[in-house]
Amino acid sequence: MSVSVVETLDPQETEALGAELAARLRDGDVVLVRGELGSGKTTFVRGAARALGVTDPITSPTFSIGHRYRATHTTVSHLDLYRLAGGLQAEDPGLLDDYLGPGRIAFVEWPAADSAELSSARLRVTLTHRGADRRRIEVAEG
Ligand code: ADP
Ligand code: MG
């Protein structure tokens, strides 16, 4: 497993880091994005989605668990599982089917740690507040 740690000093740097990560992604990949509220998860995903060719505004899913966006060579799924605080087990097992799999690259905010459907994720991103606009961003692969 390879792990890299970066500190960013503003949202633009976090978006740029997301864009860098996007260049490493392949069809079907799932990226788990963890961190407290306001740590920059959506900002990171926005940078990655832009780099993959999404032109629509990337906003936090509010009334559903996720959004799907047309990108250049793929569909970008952006899920926020915050409201599934108890994990996915109690939910419809097919809940994520429309968002994951071939032809898609998925970013999942706030995943339950032990969800089987998400355990095969290729990358795990963890964001941590470091005061003011500083964020620690760890990217673990494998
Ligand atoms: P989350 O999805 O984790 O709740 P958001 O990305 O929606 O977080 O919000 C992060 C907030 O923090 C935004 O208002 C953003 O402008 C601000 N911010 C300040 N500094 C940074 C940084 N270095 N990286 C990311 N966001 C930052
Ligand atoms: Mg968010």
Side-chain angles (χ1 to χ4, degrees):
M1 181 167 106
S2 83
V3 178
S4 67
V5 177
V6 172
E7 288 201 343
T8 65
L9 301 176
D10 58 41
Q12 290 72 31
E13 279 188 30
T14 297
E15 285 192 19
L17 197 66
E20 245 175 64
L21 177 119
R24 292 157 52 189
L25 296 175
R26 302 186 290 256
D27 185 67
D29 276 350
V30 176
V31 180
L32 306 185
V33 187
R34 293 194 178 102
E36 288 172 12
L37 203 65
S39 60
K41 299 182 296 298
T42 297
T43 302
F44 183 90
V45 172
R46 184 175 296 123
R50 286 256 169 280
L52 290 166
V54 175
T55 53
D56 286 342
I58 291 121
T59 55
S60 292
T62 313
F63 298 109
S64 64
I65 62 161
H67 289 151
R68 275 169 296 169
Y69 300 95
R70 175 66 55 85
T72 309
H73 299 292
T74 189
T75 293
V76 170
S77 298
H78 176 204
L79 293 106
D80 190 335
L81 304 184
Y82 177 50
R83 281 178 303 286
L84 304 185
L88 282 168
Q89 300 86 334
E91 306 290 326
D92 171 6
L95 191 65
L96 303 183
D97 288 358
D98 291 342
Y99 296 96
L100 310 180
R104 284 157 285 190
I105 290 177
F107 297 88
V108 186
E109 293 190 34
W110 228 304
D114 54 357
S115 154
E117 275 165 296
L118 298 174
S119 59
S120 61
R122 193 160 74 87
L123 289 148
R124 289 174 173 72
V125 180
T126 307
L127 297 98
T128 316
H129 286 278
R130 279 284 185 265
D133 289 348
R134 187 185 289 264
R135 304 287 190 275
R136 176 187 189 273
I137 304 176
E138 180 186 296
V139 178
E141 178 168 4

